[in-house]
Amino acid sequence: MGIDYWNGAQAAHRRVMMKAAGYSDIDIRKKPHIGVPNSYMAGSPGSAHLRQIAEAVKEGIWSAGGIPVEFGIPATCGNIANGAEELKYEQVGRDIVAMSVEFVTKVHNFDGLAMIASCDNIIAGCYLAAMRLDIPSMVVTGGSMQPGQHCGETVVEADLDAARFSGASEEELMEMEDNVCPSFGACPSMGTANTMQMLGEVLNLVIPGTSTIPATDNMKLRKAREAGMYAVEMAKKNIKPSDIITREVIMNSIMFDMAVAGSTNAVLHILSYAYELGMEVSLEDFEKYAKEIKCINAVVPSGPYTVVDFHYAGGVLNVMKMLENKIFAKAPSMYKNLTWEDVLEEIIPVENEVIHSLENPLFDEPGLKILRGNLSPNGAIVRPTAVYEEVMYLKGKAKVYEGDRQAFDAIVAGEIVAGDIIVIRYEGCKGAPGMKELMLSIDALIGKGLHKSVGLISDARFSGFNFGAIIGHVSPEAFDGGNIALVENGDEIVIDIPNGEVSMLVSDEELEKRRKNWVRPELKEGKGCLNIYAKMCRPAEEGGAMQPWDLDGKYSR
């Protein structure tokens, strides 16, 4: 604790600023200062309710003898930018959020952090900040949105996108809009937001059993208050991320992600966390557990259920109990003196329609799979549970596009037919820059009914809402001269998901000939955060974060 920082004549200039902000002398001098980074943002259902949750967290901090200091951090709703070029800012947002928390925490010398976040790269950035700062830290999630009801059916936001590209009229879409997202919270599919909320429990940054409490359930507020209390205890006991996030914990997060078929974006985040912690973790670790862990979670898009259903079916703890004989159960939990074995001791596994057992998996495939071949020697990623049987293996002619919009226009114009394999490049970490999510072209494939007969390969990312034979994170990316930059229209490409391969049937000699004629394009962004990101980020297979330091990089103290 930084009590000395606030006492004595040398701290008068600090105390006076806190007093001017309304804090009392005894609180400033004697209590642990807990930073409360709040990603409240009025323009997103995932974060528009976070002020109330923040108030509950602060009440808990005060009641446990701490002093909460709330401050704002950037937040966006990725759905706002869907279909727009600005969507490429989202991945960069993870690093901006982490740096924002880092900046304020370092200047104000907090003893601990209780961060509040819900969505995608915002919550991912909070986790990254905790690991970078290595002070007692936790995250309180905003929870999941309730699904909508429309024409007698349960619907989620992704259904609106499908309707839009399936020819629904503006009047029909308007009616659906009014019903598809009926509450605050993260969209209730197995997208990046809910994947990362769940992973927070496994990573020992979110209190067990709380990540998926729906935003509409008042249990969320009660548990937020308890979280604030525990944040003070963590600060007093100096329980730091480096104490409770071991390599075994990272491996547990990979196994959990395989079991629940989490968003492919989670791979980027887990890899960046490992690098931040100085651990050597690679796609080979994901490949290893993909061979051992099958998908046992039936949440959209892998099944018909929502994250709300998942929570009431037992949530993260039920899944971890199902995995107990696979995970590193002796790994530390968030409570430090308790292992995951201790946490799970009282949990009774309940197999149901939403959460299956490992002995009775929902699929005979893992939730995520790494593909390799001459098109992606450093690895590419697919979510097999969201791929139709008809396109688990594809061999077809390449149709090459230099971006999502160009491919979208081709699909809408009817240039794509069954059996084609779309290649979208220069949308990776450096090429976009920012590793854009390809929403336009994928939604258009679904709307045109081509998602069961066409493949898509890219160095970009995909939303956790997406489904079909979509292969992302191809590395090396086109901007770095990866073979995806050398693909030509008409080249034959093989996508073999069961055998983990993505290759183009072009000889090494021909590829070498093409390489001699290849010229790296100029960066698309000449200034601003995207330019900085492109020059500072690691490749996708290492997490794609702005971490230009060596693996063992440390803060100077």
Side-chain angles (χ1 to χ4, degrees):
M1 290 168 56
I3 295 298
D4 292 342
Y5 191 76
W6 298 101
N7 285 277
Q10 75 280 3
H13 64 290
R14 298 183 183 119
R15 292 193 300 270
V16 72
M17 291 295 104
M18 294 293 285
K19 288 177 181 179
Y23 292 93
S24 301
D25 187 78
I26 191 170
D27 295 326
I28 299 166
R29 290 176 181 268
K30 300 298 183 182
K31 295 178 179 179
H33 292 221
I34 308 298
V36 184
N38 183 0
S39 62
Y40 163 81
M41 196 268 191
S44 166
S47 55
H49 63 306
L50 297 186
R51 281 178 171 167
Q52 188 177 22
I53 292 175
E55 288 304 314
V57 170
K58 290 188 292 182
E59 288 169 8
I61 292 170
W62 280 119
S63 69
I67 171 173
V69 182
E70 183 181 357
F71 61 97
I73 54 174
T76 59
C77 177
N79 275 327
I80 297 294
N82 277 354
E85 191 65 18
E86 288 73 27
L87 190 58
K88 63 189 180 183
Y89 278 87
E90 280 290 291
Q91 170 80 351
V92 184
R94 172 189 62 184
D95 299 276
I96 292 173
V97 168
M99 291 177 188
S100 299
V101 176
E102 174 189 9
F103 158 53
V104 178
T105 300
K106 281 291 183 180
V107 171
H108 283 263
N109 200 42
F110 297 131
D111 300 300
L113 290 170
M115 297 173 270
I116 303 162
S118 294
C119 292
D120 294 34
N121 296 291
I122 311 307
I123 192 166
C126 288
Y127 297 160
L128 186 61
M131 297 173 199
R132 180 170 301 168
L133 290 161
D134 200 30
I135 65 172
S137 301
M138 68 158 56
V139 174
V140 178
T141 71
S144 175
M145 175 191 291
Q146 290 289 337
Q149 294 294 322
H150 179 63
C151 296
E153 294 185 1
T154 298
V155 288
V156 295
E157 193 279 334
D159 295 314
L160 179 67
D161 295 333
R164 178 164 65 102
F165 288 106
S166 298
S169 67
E170 186 171 353
E171 291 74 20
E172 290 170 325
L173 291 174
M174 180 71 75
E175 184 181 346
M176 197 171 185
E177 284 174 43
D178 289 340
N179 294 282
V180 74
C181 294
S183 77
F184 293 128
C187 298
S189 308
M190 204 65 205
T192 306
N194 281 303
T195 298
M196 297 313 298
Q197 290 195 44
M198 294 176 192
L199 281 173
E201 292 189 41
V202 186
L203 290 165
N204 296 333
L205 289 170
V206 175
I207 289 181
T210 67
S211 68
T212 56
I213 298 173
T216 54
D217 189 330
N218 282 335
M219 179 67 76
K220 174 62 71 178
L221 295 179
R222 297 196 292 276
K223 290 299 180 181
R225 195 169 292 109
E226 292 175 16
M229 296 170 68
Y230 188 61
V232 176
E233 183 178 338
M234 291 181 78
K236 289 179 177 179
K237 294 180 178 179
N238 197 28
I239 302 173
K240 305 187 299 295
S242 59
D243 298 323
I244 55 178
I245 308 177
T246 62
R247 193 175 195 282
E248 289 73 24
V249 168
I250 294 291
M251 294 301 110
N252 285 350
S253 74
I254 294 174
M255 286 186 263
F256 178 87
D257 204 35
M258 293 294 172
V260 298
S263 167
T264 53
N265 291 320
V267 177
L268 294 165
H269 300 320
I270 292 170
L271 289 168
S272 71
Y273 300 155
Y275 198 90
E276 195 68 46
L277 293 165
M279 300 174 187
E280 291 188 4
V281 174
S282 71
L283 291 180
E284 292 180 358
D285 294 296
F286 288 83
E287 289 174 296
K288 174 185 175 182
Y289 293 115
K291 296 173 182 175
E292 300 178 18
I293 310 290
K294 309 301 182 188
C295 175
I296 61 174
N297 177 32
V299 170
V300 177
S302 299
Y305 300 101
T306 69
V307 174
V308 175
D309 299 318
F310 175 87
H311 176 74
Y312 295 118
V316 171
L317 291 178
N318 196 18
V319 173
M320 290 295 277
K321 188 68 176 182
M322 297 296 186
L323 297 175
E324 190 170 19
N325 292 330
K326 285 285 188 180
I327 63 170
F328 293 93
K330 298 293 186 182
S333 74
M334 192 174 184
Y335 303 113
K336 191 176 180 178
N337 61 322
L338 298 179
T339 65
W340 266 98
E341 183 178 54
D342 297 324
V343 170
L344 296 173
E345 185 176 3
E346 301 299 321
I347 302 297
I348 299 172
V350 179
E351 184 170 4
N352 48 60
E353 292 182 347
V354 184
I355 299 172
H356 291 222
S357 66
L358 278 179
E359 295 71 33
N360 179 35
L362 186 67
F363 292 89
D364 195 36
E365 288 278 358
L368 297 171
K369 199 164 190 175
I370 309 302
L371 307 184
R372 296 186 189 269
N374 67 352
L375 196 48
S376 189
N378 293 352
I381 300 174
V382 69
R383 182 194 257 169
T385 59
V387 180
Y388 293 96
E389 187 62 36
E390 297 95 316
V391 285
M392 290 293 280
Y393 177 91
L394 274 177
K395 184 177 181 182
K397 301 290 186 182
K399 288 189 176 175
V400 184
Y401 302 96
E402 314 295 314
D404 190 24
R405 168 62 67 174
Q406 196 180 97
F408 169 79
D409 290 341
I411 295 166
V412 172
E415 296 173 16
I416 304 300
V417 298
D420 284 343
I421 296 181
I422 299 170
V423 177
I424 302 177
R425 61 193 180 193
Y426 295 105
E427 292 280 24
C429 294
K430 299 175 184 176
M435 205 176 185
K436 188 179 176 185
E437 281 189 354
L438 303 185
M439 297 295 290
L440 272 178
S441 48
I442 296 166
D443 285 344
L445 283 176
I446 296 168
K448 291 284 188 178
L450 292 169
H451 53 294
K452 295 184 180 181
S453 59
V454 169
L456 190 154
I457 299 170
S458 180
D459 50 10
R461 306 183 293 134
F462 301 114
S463 166
F465 300 163
N466 296 144
F467 51 92
I470 49 179
I471 316 300
H473 304 217
V474 166
S475 188
E477 65 172 284
F479 189 87
D480 283 337
N483 283 349
I484 190 172
L486 309 180
V487 182
E488 295 181 356
N489 285 319
D491 285 345
E492 213 164 31
I493 290 179
V494 170
I495 297 174
D496 187 350
I497 293 172
N499 292 307
E501 182 184 2
V502 56
S503 295
M504 54 178 171
L505 304 183
V506 177
S507 69
D508 291 342
E509 292 77 16
E510 174 61 22
L511 289 176
E512 187 58 35
K513 178 181 175 182
R514 294 180 188 180
R515 187 171 299 284
K516 290 178 181 177
N517 296 321
W518 176 75
V519 177
R520 186 195 314 276
E522 293 292 320
L523 276 176
K524 294 176 185 175
E525 300 290 340
K527 63 180 182 179
C529 64
L530 292 179
N531 177 277
I532 295 168
Y533 175 82
K535 294 176 179 177
M536 293 290 175
C537 67
R538 306 203 72 78
E541 75 272 15
E542 294 179 12
M546 286 192 277
Q547 297 166 314
W549 49 82
D550 294 335
L551 185 65
D552 60 352
K554 303 288 183 185
Y555 268 124
S556 57
R557 301 291 185 184

